[in-house]
Amino acid sequence: MFNKKTILAGKLGAIAISATMVVVGGIFPTISYANQTEIPVEANKISTIHLVNPELSDNEITTIIKDYATEEGLSYENALSIFYNEAVEEKTELANNIKSRANTKANQALGSANYKGDVFYSKAWTGINHGHSGIYYNKANVIHAPGPGKSSKLQSAKDKLGLKGGIQIQYVNTSQANRDKAANYDYNKLRNKPYDTNFISNKKTTTKLNCSGLVWNAYKKSVNIDLDKNGGLGVYPADIRDSSKTVTYKKL
């Protein structure tokens, strides 16, 4: 026969088991964990993704992941892992940018480029501190997406658009004809676009653009050159800087 102590122990065991079950759909268990330092796996991953995309709410991030899972025929958990893994990689870059910057105000001009279609990277920026990137429309002017609340535009490379000690000017390892096409596409198709705060899936649209999305689209859409280092769902400035197709020839 079962006594009251046996029944109670069984109920407590069932509660403990339910607390370890995989959670789906963005709803987390409300019961206490035996180890209070333990947190749901989904919440931990969403928190990491949010860290490198601070302009997006947790709900917006979850919606983006669910939409991607549906489009690609994946489970929510698998889609979440894809976004999370890229966020982990970007987390180190983001920490380095914040730690190394003297301030958040651009204080260094980029100067002229060697070629039309060259790209630049700057360590910290006044928007989201993933760094900043842009493309040279010609040797003296760049096209970039300045930051939240501003539209992509053409601007003189003599202006202070980067942070001293953190700028790299690069050429894309392709023909000059391809560089010209990318720069022209950027000028004709990607200027005057509102800023996109979504970096985690910024390859999906050109209706809105952030800095790295602008550069990536210029080369991908015009000459089918992918400047994303890791081929993730989102492209960040450091992905372009570290691409096997970009070569640094000047540091400022």
Side-chain angles (χ1 to χ4, degrees):
M1 293 179 64
F2 294 105
N3 56 34
K4 291 183 177 179
K5 289 184 178 180
T6 302
I7 294 172
L8 178 59
K11 289 182 177 180
L12 290 175
I15 292 174
I17 292 171
S18 68
T20 63
M21 292 177 67
V22 175
V23 181
V24 296
I27 301 173
F28 307 128
T30 56
I31 61 176
S32 298
Y33 287 80
N35 179 357
Q36 293 301 318
T37 62
E38 188 177 318
I39 60 174
V41 171
E42 181 180 13
N44 179 46
K45 289 183 177 181
I46 293 292
S47 177
T48 300
I49 296 169
H50 176 75
L51 179 67
V52 299
N53 291 272
E55 298 295 321
L56 298 178
S57 69
D58 287 357
N59 286 337
E60 288 173 323
I61 291 170
T62 301
T63 297
I64 290 169
I65 295 170
K66 287 180 177 178
D67 288 346
Y68 176 76
T70 299
E71 292 168 4
E72 299 297 322
L74 300 173
S75 69
Y76 174 77
E77 291 78 10
N78 286 342
L80 172 62
S81 293
I82 292 171
F83 282 89
Y84 169 73
N85 289 338
E86 186 162 28
V88 169
E89 187 174 337
E90 178 60 19
K91 182 178 176 181
T92 301
E93 182 69 24
L94 181 64
N96 289 339
N97 279 346
I98 293 174
K99 182 178 179 181
S100 64
R101 61 182 175 161
N103 52 58
T104 59
K105 185 177 181 180
N107 59 11
Q108 174 70 49
L110 302 174
S112 60
N114 286 355
Y115 309 103
K116 177 175 181 173
D118 284 357
V119 298
F120 74 85
Y121 168 87
S122 179
K123 215 162 201 181
W125 188 244
T126 54
I128 301 170
N129 288 299
H130 295 299
H132 188 56
S133 57
I135 184 170
Y136 279 82
Y137 173 60
N138 51 39
K139 294 181 180 181
N141 298 281
V142 298
I143 303 170
H144 69 134
K150 300 176 182 178
S151 297
S152 54
K153 64 178 182 178
L154 181 72
Q155 191 165 352
S156 171
K158 292 181 180 180
D159 293 343
K160 294 179 179 179
L161 299 178
L163 192 69
K164 187 175 182 179
I167 298 171
Q168 296 182 42
I169 312 298
Q170 303 178 300
Y171 68 83
V172 177
N173 193 12
T174 186
S175 67
Q176 187 57 50
N178 280 343
R179 297 186 197 114
D180 290 348
K181 288 178 182 178
N184 290 338
Y185 183 91
D186 218 352
Y187 183 83
N188 293 321
K189 302 290 187 180
L190 304 181
R191 284 183 304 135
N192 303 316
K193 301 287 187 177
Y195 191 78
D196 187 6
T197 57
N198 172 17
F199 278 82
I200 63 175
S201 58
N202 59 354
K203 294 178 178 180
K204 295 179 65 175
T205 180
T206 57
T207 303
K208 297 189 295 182
L209 292 167
N210 45 46
C211 61
S212 48
L214 181 149
V215 176
W216 182 85
N217 273 290
Y219 272 92
K220 183 63 177 176
K221 295 291 175 61
S222 64
V223 292
N224 198 31
I225 292 177
D226 188 347
L227 295 183
D228 185 5
K229 174 191 68 173
N230 57 22
L233 301 171
V235 57
Y236 295 84
D239 292 332
I240 296 171
R241 180 198 65 196
D242 298 337
S243 168
S244 61
K245 299 178 179 67
T246 55
V247 180
T248 300
Y249 62 84
K250 182 165 60 174
K251 294 184 178 181
L252 300 170

